Amino acid sequence: MCGRFAITLPADAMAQLFAAQPANTLPSVPNYNVCPATAVHAVQAGGTGRQLSAMRWGFLPHWYKSKTAGPLLINARAETIAEKPAFAKACRDRRCLIPASGFYEWTKAEDGARLPWYIRRSDGAPLAFAAVWQSWGSADPVKTCAIVTTAANQGLSAIHHRMPLILEPEDWGKWLGEDGHGAARLMQPGAEGLLDFHRVDPAVNSNRAEGPELIEPFGEEDIPRGRLI
């Protein structure tokens, strides 16, 4: 799954990277602890080109009477997204990209303590998560989204059995619906060697934590980067 991530790119850099027109109001960056139910940056295709706008991370199906009427849907499984009533139409018609610098996952120590890891591209490039979105509410509609996840590749499976669906630049147009059909074929685990990871400070276990120190290596003298011991 993906339950927390970081975004450090300035908004104009994101707009340039995705060749998108930025909205006037976007979430503040950098944000080293992006949490569910908060606003995230999202890229979607439109009649006038790609748009970079804010969406609420937590997909709200149209039948929800309130934002808390059901489970907080922050992820959508690639294997079942096309059949799930909440996501099926969005999977066909409303796909978007969510930029990220990296994301967090957790393992458990022998004493049950949660040990956070920061995961990023090995080449240092930004990540583009595949996502779906839904406009919810009639009086004051809000765009909401969920990140698509796949089975983890072999390298990441030591930390978690799921991972976000990460798309390469040549696949962005296909996912956004600009390059015809075939988005379903993109829903595969990331290539081996795509990601690197290292332990980070347990301070990030709190959704109130903030600051660049959250993504810095923690205990590097004991735990080498890129593998578990």
Side-chain angles (χ1 to χ4, degrees):
M1 65 174 294
C2 179
R4 213 91 68 76
F5 66 91
I7 178 66
T8 62
L9 281 178
D12 57 350
M14 280 187 266
Q16 183 175 4
L17 177 65
F18 292 95
Q21 180 64 36
N24 291 329
T25 303
L26 290 168
S28 298
V29 285
N31 186 344
Y32 296 90
N33 194 8
V34 181
C35 300
T38 62
V40 299
H41 299 81
V43 178
Q44 63 185 103
T48 59
R50 294 178 183 175
Q51 303 293 317
L52 176 66
S53 60
M55 293 188 186
R56 177 188 185 268
W57 185 18
F59 190 97
L60 296 174
H62 66 84
W63 61 80
Y64 276 24
K65 299 301 182 183
S66 70
K67 292 180 180 179
T68 58
L72 184 62
L73 305 176
I74 63 171
N75 292 155
R77 294 174 66 94
E79 298 88 345
T80 58
I81 189 172
E83 289 80 38
K84 291 290 185 181
F87 301 123
K89 193 170 189 332
C91 182
R92 291 193 304 270
D93 304 328
R94 295 186 301 276
R95 299 187 297 271
C96 61
L97 299 168
I98 296 178
S101 300
F103 62 100
Y104 300 96
E105 285 296 355
W106 282 261
T107 56
K108 279 191 177 182
E110 291 184 0
D111 62 0
R114 298 178 73 226
L115 308 177
W117 298 78
Y118 184 64
I119 304 149
R120 60 186 178 183
R121 285 187 66 115
S122 301
D123 59 10
L127 297 162
F129 296 152
V132 293
W133 67 275
Q134 165 80 44
S135 184
W136 178 85
S138 54
D140 187 18
V142 56
K143 288 183 177 179
T144 70
C145 62
I147 294 171
V148 180
T149 67
T150 70
N153 61 21
Q154 185 175 357
L156 193 59
S157 63
I159 296 179
H160 201 275
H161 66 286
R162 304 292 296 177
M163 66 182 288
L165 174 56
I166 298 167
L167 299 179
E168 297 298 321
E170 60 267 25
D171 295 325
W172 294 349
K174 181 73 70 177
W175 183 258
L176 293 174
E178 300 166 335
D179 297 340
H181 300 292
R185 292 193 294 271
L186 301 177
M187 289 193 277
Q188 303 293 330
E192 297 300 329
L194 176 69
L195 301 172
D196 188 16
F197 52 85
H198 58 262
R199 275 280 311 280
V200 291
D201 195 315
V204 78
N205 291 351
S206 168
N207 59 12
R208 297 181 180 180
E210 56 184 28
E213 64 275 8
L214 296 181
I215 66 172
E216 293 300 318
F218 178 81
E220 282 292 283
E221 68 280 4
D222 297 320
I223 303 176
R225 290 189 186 201
R227 67 182 182 91
L228 290 169
I229 59 173

